Amino acid sequence: MDIEKLLKQMTIEEKIGQLLQCGTSIYRDHEEIKWDMVREGKIGAFLYIRDAETANKLQHVAVEESRLGIPLIFGDDIIHGLYTIFPLPAAEACSWEPELARRTAEVSAKESRASGIHWTFAPMVDVARDARWGRNTEGAGEDPYLASEFASARVKGFQGDDISSDDHVAACAKHFAGYGACIGGRDYNSVEMTNQTLYDIHLPPFKSAINAGVATVMSAFHDLNGIPCTGNKWLLTNVLREEMEFKGMLVSDAGAVDQLQKHGFTKDEYDTAYKAMDAGVDMEMSSFTFN
């Protein structure tokens, strides 16, 4: 179906539904699978459904029982393998062989698609220089050039030449931006840096992923110089969309839209949804503020 014709048929509730990714398993508030919302066309994607049987049942409901039959997207964190476990990304980076990372990402993509997964929240391309930060292991270390080479390689491994093929998945470069510089190495903490540091150190791996054709980018949940990244229009629109020429889909990190209010950046859910959308967020992960 032509996308313009489809959009004209959709209600505002159905359009908003396509912007929601329902969290399961680790997100207690939304642990149950919301079958009724799928039937009503009010969910566009799911998190962490790793078995093909459940994914297939949900897909049948979406395609056969909803009004417009729009398929669901299933996403997951496939960081260093799904069933075949590979060294952590930081360990792979120690090899100085981006081709190795491309090959392991390719295997991960094949296993993911066989399990019903279409989309991985990888590669993590944050440059991290504080050994206290526990998420260092997800990235390629402290050098922006090396991180850029591995970012490109992993995107190519996950997505291949044809992202729609049966053995590849959509990749997601995360977390935009500067998350690896959180103060004191404390996860979720604030980030303060000059624009020179941002542009010279933290943005190049994202640009490398974009140049490699990465389908999606994830906005971070920390604040950058006092403004939460997921509500930062300068960062997400001016920098990511215009300067870096990213044309794909921008998804929030888990709960990052809802957390704008916790940052004190927004006054209520309406204001939260508006500022996230206005900043450039296309899909809300694991919370229901848009709804």
Side-chain angles (χ1 to χ4, degrees):
M1 180 181 289
D2 181 86
I3 188 64
E4 294 297 330
K5 292 181 180 179
L6 179 62
L7 285 169
K8 288 178 181 178
Q9 294 181 50
M10 296 175 74
T11 64
I12 186 66
E13 290 80 12
E14 288 168 334
K15 289 177 180 177
I16 292 172
Q18 290 302 305
L19 309 183
L20 296 176
Q21 182 170 52
C22 183
T24 62
S25 299
I26 68 171
Y27 298 107
R28 297 294 178 184
D29 291 344
H30 309 295
E31 191 169 43
E32 74 280 5
I33 295 175
K34 298 183 180 294
W35 297 91
D36 289 343
M37 290 185 70
V38 175
R39 289 187 180 93
E40 295 167 2
K42 294 182 178 179
I43 289 180
F46 274 93
L47 278 171
Y48 303 129
I49 294 178
R50 290 191 170 188
D51 65 286
E53 182 179 359
T54 302
N56 191 46
K57 288 179 180 178
L58 277 166
Q59 200 66 281
H60 275 287
V61 172
V63 173
E64 298 171 5
E65 300 182 33
S66 70
R67 189 175 74 90
L68 295 175
I70 301 173
L72 295 164
I73 302 171
F74 296 98
D76 206 335
D77 280 308
I78 311 301
I79 304 300
H80 59 108
L82 181 58
Y83 299 115
T84 304
I85 302 302
F86 298 104
L88 289 164
E92 283 191 343
C94 292
S95 71
W96 296 81
E97 294 184 39
E99 174 60 16
L100 172 65
R102 187 199 65 77
R103 290 162 56 199
T104 58
E106 188 172 51
V107 172
S108 297
K110 290 180 180 179
E111 293 184 350
S112 298
R113 281 304 299 271
S115 300
I117 298 166
H118 309 116
W119 182 17
T120 178
F121 306 117
M124 191 197 89
V125 300
D126 295 309
V127 174
R129 294 179 167 182
D130 190 331
R132 296 173 295 183
W133 192 45
R135 300 191 69 169
N136 286 342
T137 54
E138 293 181 52
E142 62 184 9
D143 181 74
Y145 177 76
L146 186 66
S148 296
E149 291 296 300
F150 274 82
S152 175
R154 290 192 172 107
V155 168
K156 292 175 182 177
F158 284 127
Q159 297 189 170
D161 296 326
D162 180 6
I163 199 172
S164 67
S165 68
D166 292 338
D167 54 4
H168 288 94
V169 296
C172 183
K174 65 181 187 183
H175 310 79
F176 199 80
Y179 189 36
C182 51
I183 295 173
R186 295 192 296 272
D187 205 21
Y188 271 75
N189 208 353
S190 299
V191 171
E192 295 182 0
M193 66 174 62
T194 64
N195 279 351
Q196 180 176 346
T197 299
L198 177 67
Y199 277 85
D200 287 354
I201 305 299
H202 296 275
L203 294 186
F206 285 97
K207 181 59 176 174
S208 180
I210 292 168
N211 290 346
V214 71
T216 67
V217 167
M218 181 186 293
S219 67
F221 39 48
H222 69 274
D223 67 279
L224 177 64
N225 298 330
I227 301 176
C229 293
T230 297
N232 191 327
K233 189 170 184 176
W234 170 79
L235 184 68
L236 302 184
T237 296
N238 297 97
V239 176
L240 180 63
R241 294 291 191 187
E242 296 173 3
E243 294 180 18
M244 300 177 72
E245 300 182 306
F246 175 62
K247 307 299 183 184
M249 185 175 76
L250 179 65
V251 62
S252 77
D253 203 342
V257 173
D258 180 61
Q259 290 167 16
L260 292 179
Q261 194 171 348
K262 295 179 174 65
H263 276 284
F265 185 68
T266 57
K267 60 185 178 181
D268 53 31
E269 283 197 344
Y270 179 89
D271 190 37
T272 298
Y274 174 82
K275 286 184 176 176
M277 286 186 176
D278 185 57
V281 175
D282 296 314
M283 177 171 279
E284 177 181 9
M285 180 189 289
S286 82
S287 55
F288 288 76
T289 309
F290 287 180
N291 197 43

